[in-house]
Amino acid sequence: MEKMVEAAPDRGCSSIHRTEPTLAPNTTELKMAFAGVLKEADITAALEACKAADSFNHKTFFSKIGLSSKSAEDLKKAFEIIDQDKSGFIEEDELKLFLQNFSASARALTDAETKAFLKAGDTDGDGMIGVTEFSEMIKG
Ligand SMILES: [Ca+2]
């Protein structure tokens, strides 16, 4: 990790990225999981661009955050992070909190955004997004 910033002294982890004081420990881990894949500056810019309610667009987001140009292997890694309960699918509740995988302080998606996001990825119509659907949605 080349871009380490000093973390709060009581965290007991020397490789924490730039962090908000309110970050929960598990969210920090998730962020670190993305750290090898995504650039901190891209994450910040992508989140900033969809800060306002109902401004989220998955294509814009995936492109800004740098996932669109990633390898299949990196997309699989990203999928596994977003699939928080490790069910093998990204369900609606995980989509709703999608942005919080990238920053604990990010907002939840609105119901309209969540449904549009699901619809965009769920090509077989089972109500959740599998790893192939996820990759196709990002690349597509
Ligand atoms: Ca899941």
Side-chain angles (χ1 to χ4, degrees):
M1 241 175 265
E2 71 282 352
K3 222 182 82 185
M4 287 196 295
V5 178
E6 283 176 28
D10 62 336
R11 280 185 193 280
C13 174
S14 59
S15 58
I16 291 175
H17 255 56
R18 184 187 65 80
T19 185
E20 312 286 342
T22 51
L23 272 187
N26 66 330
T27 312
T28 305
E29 273 171 40
L30 290 170
K31 214 173 173 195
M32 287 170 71
F34 270 121
V37 181
L38 301 174
K39 291 197 195 86
E40 185 80 23
D42 290 343
I43 295 176
T44 307
L47 289 173
E48 187 65 30
C50 62
K51 238 174 144 177
D54 292 318
S55 68
F56 178 80
N57 175 289
H58 68 279
K59 280 186 189 155
T60 309
F61 185 85
F62 287 135
S63 157
K64 268 189 190 293
I65 209 156
L67 275 174
S68 304
S69 55
K70 292 294 175 189
S71 65
E73 197 183 320
D74 280 345
L75 292 183
K76 191 163 177 278
K77 259 189 240 172
F79 177 88
E80 285 166 356
I81 295 167
I82 297 162
D83 176 20
Q84 296 210 3
D85 63 1
K86 307 291 170 215
S87 67
F89 294 95
I90 301 173
E91 290 89 1
E92 202 168 330
D93 59 330
E94 288 167 336
L95 275 184
K96 194 170 175 61
L97 300 178
F98 169 78
L99 294 177
Q100 293 173 4
N101 288 300
F102 303 95
S103 168
S105 57
R107 67 182 177 88
L109 295 180
T110 66
D111 288 346
E113 286 170 325
T114 306
K115 286 196 189 322
F117 195 4
L118 178 63
K119 208 176 156 195
D122 181 21
T123 44
D124 66 5
D126 64 357
M128 48 201 185
I129 298 176
V131 65
T132 309
E133 289 173 328
F134 179 74
S135 302
E136 281 169 358
M137 170 168 58
I138 292 174
K139 293 288 183 188

